[in-house]
Amino acid sequence: MMKKSIKLTALAVSAVMAMGMLAGCGKKQEASGDVTKVTYWSGDSHAEAVVRELIDNYNQNQGKKDGIEIEYTLQGGDSITQNLELALQSGTAPDIFAGGSITSLADKGYIMPYDDIFGSDIDDLKKKYDGKLKNTQDLYKGKLYCVPVTVGNVQGLLYNKDMFKAAGIVDEKGEAKPPRTLAEMREDAKKLTDASKKQYGIIYPKKWDGWVGSDIAGPASTYSGGRGAYNPAEDDYDYSYVKDYAQLILDMRDDGSVYPGGDSIDNDTARALFAEGGIGMKYGYNFDVGVLNDQFPAKCDWGVAQLPIVDEEHDYKQNGGYGRSQFVNAASKVPTEKLRKAVEFFLSDEYLAGLYKGCVAAPADSSIMEGVTIDNPKKGWTEFMELTKDVSEVHWGPECDMAGLKSLKTLFLEDVWSGNMSLDDAIAQATANQKKGREAYVAAHPDYDTHQYADPNWKPQLKERAKNK
């Protein structure tokens, strides 16, 4: 049986940035006395202060007993996957990291299965997460590479209360009133925009790799009922659910309500601009609480609202699900028993409770929050915790080989935005390409069960607040 100290219910810091300058795990790890160094990279700039404090406390106390010292390096940025890939190829990647595709990393031999780390205790670990483990998300080819440990990314609409009040967009009490529908959002964006004062209704970071997924597909999941392009009930793909949200962006652009120069703006820049004031709205996530409180302290009064909906009839839960734990570098030279100690720390109740108390992450196991008091929660944290009630577990779809095929993101950015293709044609093309990608993957992997995610009984889930109306 696993020892009690191995309580595997904690958070993986969700993003990673590789640094070629840092000596990685391809080299023998330095040790001070009986203490072995274990390198850890994260791109979660919003959580840096809290994570660093938790790691420093561990190193000074339990880490000495465990015989390891975790070396924490943070490097912010959006191109995490590409930089990590280069670091893994060159042998300069850390011993422990998060982010990336489990199938790709495992196929290339970059990550070590937890089976190799926990040995005979692996069955206890799997049992702890029984019912939550997903194939190609946690398990791959019978091996366990990570576990679901936190409530996944929860989206909300960040809005500048000062600008809303100045524009007269208020309720009967004179408080800033965020938009409830997409139609209201467009009208609000017009009222908030004053180019002469460099004030704009909304900002879109088009340079960010995840922009289309975050600002179109993500919010659109509320209209589809929590699913993405793959419809499990039909066992087929359909991107038509994004049309209303994508059209809204085009309309607001044509209205002049969108902050100009989006092609050169990444998400960090967009968040910094929102924090400075002058931006009325921006789609955000629960981790942006740390960004707007610590990384880029907001100079404006801001709030968090529900994602706007198309209409009241389709007030569904958004995609969410679980955040996954860290991967372990298969090329690490750190002894397995030392790696296990480091993983156990990141998967401990103590670590997760500390992250929750620091207002940077919420555990998937709600029992960990019991008895944890946050005396002075960071601005926006309470609102995002309320939105966790409206999250549905992501329904994953089958693998696709998109080589040579344009994705929705590419079609929208390269063809629709430029006016070379209509939105309807782009949606139809993205759907057709996704189906071709599925066929291509199956052709190359004839033993792959492409229907494993089908669920004829699946149906959209209304938000809890919608049910109670």
Side-chain angles (χ1 to χ4, degrees):
M1 292 292 293
M2 300 178 69
K3 297 180 181 179
K4 188 175 181 180
S5 62
I6 313 169
K7 228 174 169 184
L8 302 162
T9 50
L11 169 78
V13 178
S14 62
V16 177
M17 173 66 89
M19 294 178 61
M21 295 171 58
L22 186 64
C25 52
K27 299 181 180 180
K28 184 176 179 60
Q29 299 299 300
E30 296 178 0
S32 176
D34 296 325
V35 177
T36 300
K37 183 181 294 183
V38 178
T39 54
Y40 171 57
W41 292 355
S42 167
D44 275 348
S45 52
H46 73 282
E48 179 184 11
V50 175
V51 171
R52 192 171 298 283
E53 181 179 355
L54 291 170
I55 289 178
D56 287 346
N57 182 65
Y58 170 79
N59 287 339
Q60 293 300 316
N61 296 282
Q62 186 61 41
K64 291 183 177 180
K65 298 178 182 179
D66 291 340
I68 64 170
E69 176 186 341
I70 298 174
E71 182 180 84
Y72 170 49
T73 300
L74 178 125
Q75 181 67 37
D78 291 325
S79 301
I80 294 165
T81 302
Q82 298 92 321
N83 290 329
L84 180 59
E85 177 82 14
L86 291 174
L88 288 165
Q89 290 175 358
S90 63
T92 59
D95 300 300
I96 298 175
F97 61 90
S101 165
I102 183 175
T103 55
S104 176
L105 291 170
D107 282 341
K108 293 176 181 177
Y110 286 150
I111 52 178
M112 182 186 304
Y114 280 13
D115 305 63
D116 294 351
I117 299 170
F118 290 94
S120 60
D121 290 330
I122 191 63
D123 288 337
D124 291 322
L125 176 56
K126 291 179 179 178
K127 184 177 181 180
K128 183 174 184 62
Y129 295 94
D130 185 41
K132 294 181 179 179
L133 299 178
K134 301 289 186 181
N135 191 36
T136 73
Q137 299 303 313
D138 308 291
L139 297 156
Y140 186 59
K141 295 182 178 180
K143 300 288 186 179
L144 182 69
Y145 289 90
C146 57
V147 292
V149 288
T150 62
V151 175
N153 296 336
V154 179
Q155 272 193 295
L157 182 69
L158 307 177
Y159 65 106
N160 184 325
K161 293 184 177 181
D162 294 333
M163 287 182 63
F164 271 72
K165 289 180 180 179
I169 310 173
V170 296
D171 60 19
E172 62 277 3
K173 296 180 180 179
E175 296 298 325
K177 183 182 178 182
R180 184 72 184 96
T181 65
L182 298 191
E184 289 178 359
M185 188 173 181
R186 181 181 181 184
E187 291 305 310
D188 288 352
K190 291 179 184 178
K191 296 176 183 178
L192 293 164
T193 298
D194 187 341
S196 67
K197 296 180 180 179
K198 295 184 179 181
Q199 294 182 349
Y200 293 90
I202 196 164
I203 190 168
Y204 291 110
K206 291 170 60 186
K207 187 180 178 182
W208 177 29
D209 289 344
W211 173 66
V212 171
S214 172
D215 291 7
I216 298 180
S221 72
T222 61
Y223 189 70
S224 68
R227 69 169 176 82
Y230 175 72
N231 186 333
E234 301 294 335
D235 191 24
D236 205 355
Y237 288 94
D238 181 5
Y239 272 106
S240 63
Y241 79 101
V242 306
K243 181 176 180 178
D244 292 292
Y245 292 82
Q247 186 62 55
L248 173 69
I249 291 175
L250 298 174
D251 290 340
M252 289 194 293
R253 177 201 62 182
D254 295 342
D255 293 338
S257 304
V258 177
Y259 187 91
D263 289 341
S264 61
I265 298 174
D266 62 17
N267 200 35
D268 266 354
T269 303
R271 292 185 292 195
L273 288 168
F274 179 85
E276 285 293 318
I279 305 295
M281 296 175 284
K282 182 188 183 304
Y283 287 117
Y285 290 89
N286 54 304
F287 52 72
D288 285 321
V289 168
V291 174
L292 297 177
N293 281 280
D294 303 320
Q295 185 183 2
F296 305 124
K299 298 178 182 179
C300 61
D301 186 15
W302 59 280
V304 182
Q306 297 181 62
L307 292 171
I309 58 177
V310 175
D311 54 54
E312 293 291 343
E313 184 181 352
H314 300 88
D315 194 4
Y316 297 125
K317 293 184 178 183
Q318 61 169 291
N319 279 343
Y322 300 112
R324 261 67 191 183
S325 60
Q326 291 92 338
F327 292 126
V328 177
N329 193 336
S332 175
K333 300 302 181 183
V334 172
T336 302
E337 65 273 14
K338 299 293 187 179
L339 286 173
R340 175 169 174 164
K341 293 294 184 183
V343 171
E344 288 172 358
F345 162 68
F346 285 114
L347 300 181
S348 67
D349 285 359
E350 292 75 18
Y351 180 69
L352 182 53
L355 290 168
Y356 173 68
K357 194 170 184 178
C359 299
V360 295
D365 181 358
S366 59
S367 68
I368 296 174
M369 295 183 284
E370 295 177 7
V372 178
T373 301
I374 304 177
D375 297 324
N376 187 25
K378 292 180 180 179
K379 190 177 183 65
W381 183 249
T382 302
E383 290 91 333
F384 268 115
M385 289 299 96
E386 181 67 20
L387 292 181
T388 61
K389 300 175 183 178
D390 293 333
V391 172
S392 174
E393 170 68 1
V394 175
H395 202 113
W396 301 103
E399 292 288 330
C400 295
D401 182 356
M402 299 298 291
L405 299 170
K406 284 189 175 183
S407 65
L408 174 68
K409 179 181 78 172
T410 301
L411 288 164
F412 187 82
L413 292 176
E414 293 183 358
D415 301 311
V416 177
W417 194 268
S418 64
N420 293 326
M421 179 181 285
S422 71
L423 179 57
D424 285 337
D425 286 345
I427 288 173
Q429 187 64 60
T431 300
N433 286 350
Q434 201 73 43
K435 294 180 180 183
K436 290 179 182 177
R438 178 181 187 175
E439 294 169 358
Y441 188 88
V442 174
H445 304 80
D447 294 332
Y448 178 73
D449 180 10
T450 188
H451 304 294
Q452 61 186 291
Y453 299 102
D455 182 359
N457 297 317
W458 180 89
K459 60 181 180 180
Q461 299 179 36
L462 284 171
K463 293 176 183 176
E464 291 302 320
R465 66 193 76 194
K467 291 179 182 178
N468 298 327
K469 288 182 179 179

